[in-house]
Amino acid sequence: MADGSNPRATIGGNNPPADPFGAISAHIEDLYSEARNWLDGEPITTQAQADEVTRLLDMIRDAEKVADNARKEENKPFDDGKTAVQAKYAPLISDTKAVKGRTVLAAEACKAALAPWRQAQEAIAREVARLAREEAEAAARAAAEAMRATQVDDLAAREEAERLVREADQAAKLANRADKSATTNTGLRSYWSPKLTDGTAAARHYWTTDRQACEEFFLSLANRDTRNGIRTIPGFEIVEERRAV
């Protein structure tokens, strides 16, 4: 711990330039240099040292407030301009809880009107695809059975079996196209979301597969409870730490 004999370590001993940002920057740089001089890794051993470092801390906090206020003031024209532009376009395209723009409302209404029709058309297409798949599978079974039943010296039966194989292949292609038609370019999209049905089972699962995430989540709950004054939490040791303010 330095004793403050270095001229650079005299707290507040600087003359900032006239430019606002330059003055603020120079002042903070001086305070940082003073902090480096005082805080050299050695512990505080005297009340005088503690007093000087406390004064330095207060000056750093004051300088930070001045810099932050200057930042806000310098940002104000941009913030005001951005706010004005946002307000101008909000009635047209905003999509927030507070404001729904015209395009958002109109698009949502269109989607709501289209959804039942599109769902019905998709259901029809899926049924067509299901029937085509059943036909393809039946044709494949018939072709395989015919192929197994043919004799090497029975050319007519062999030709018939091969014809059935070709028909089965064609049926499979048609079924694949029907599947694709039923699930693409429908104007619908699948949205998957979990619904918790057994919290204990879910906790066991994720404790095994993603323990770090579980620990972080449990710790966040414990931190919340600790901030609310709870000092006894099952599975946790509540540790008190005294810090400088």
Side-chain angles (χ1 to χ4, degrees):
M1 176 60 61
D3 60 6
S5 59
N6 189 319
R8 293 287 295 171
T10 303
I11 297 178
N14 59 286
N15 295 309
D19 174 60
F21 176 77
I24 293 170
S25 177
H27 182 49
I28 289 177
E29 289 296 337
D30 277 351
L31 291 175
Y32 185 80
S33 295
E34 292 175 11
R36 288 188 64 184
N37 182 73
W38 282 94
L39 308 174
D40 53 7
E42 294 297 322
I44 293 174
T45 57
T46 68
Q47 184 63 50
Q49 290 176 337
D51 291 343
E52 285 299 301
V53 174
T54 299
R55 288 178 57 205
L56 176 58
L57 175 59
D58 290 341
M59 294 178 69
I60 291 170
R61 286 171 172 164
D62 290 342
E64 184 176 48
K65 290 178 182 177
V66 170
D68 193 42
N69 288 335
R71 176 191 63 81
K72 292 176 182 177
E73 187 64 27
E74 192 168 339
N75 266 337
K76 192 173 185 305
F78 302 101
D79 291 338
D80 291 345
K82 181 179 178 181
T83 300
V85 172
Q86 291 286 82
K88 179 180 178 180
Y89 282 90
L92 302 179
I93 60 174
S94 179
D95 188 8
T96 66
K97 291 182 179 179
V99 180
K100 292 284 187 179
R102 297 298 193 195
T103 58
V104 176
L105 292 172
E108 288 179 350
C110 289
K111 291 177 184 178
L114 285 169
W117 165 259
R118 288 176 173 176
Q119 289 164 357
Q121 296 304 113
E122 184 184 53
I124 294 171
R126 284 182 180 271
E127 179 62 15
V128 170
R130 184 186 69 80
L131 294 175
R133 180 60 58 193
E134 288 183 355
E135 291 178 5
E137 291 172 352
R141 287 193 298 270
E145 180 61 28
M147 190 63 71
R148 282 194 299 270
T150 59
Q151 300 295 326
V152 176
D153 56 355
D154 188 344
L155 292 179
R158 186 72 179 187
E159 289 175 358
E160 176 63 13
E162 289 178 352
R163 184 185 68 79
L164 291 176
V165 169
R166 290 193 297 273
E167 288 183 353
D169 289 342
Q170 183 63 26
K173 292 178 182 177
L174 291 174
N176 289 338
R177 284 199 287 269
D179 284 336
K180 184 176 181 181
S181 177
T183 56
T184 58
N185 298 322
T186 62
L188 300 171
R189 179 183 299 172
S190 294
Y191 294 88
W192 304 91
S193 58
K195 180 180 179 181
L196 183 65
T197 58
D198 188 336
T200 301
R204 289 197 187 104
H205 168 70
Y206 284 112
W207 183 256
T208 301
T209 60
D210 197 348
R211 179 170 296 192
Q212 182 178 352
C214 286
E215 290 179 349
E216 290 173 354
F217 173 66
F218 294 149
L219 187 59
S220 70
L221 296 180
N223 279 327
R224 180 199 64 190
D225 289 344
T226 303
R227 288 193 298 270
N228 290 333
I230 297 174
R231 296 294 179 262
T232 302
I233 304 173
F236 287 89
E237 176 187 0
I238 309 303
V239 180
E240 181 180 11
E241 180 184 2
R242 303 285 287 174
R243 301 176 184 172
V245 295

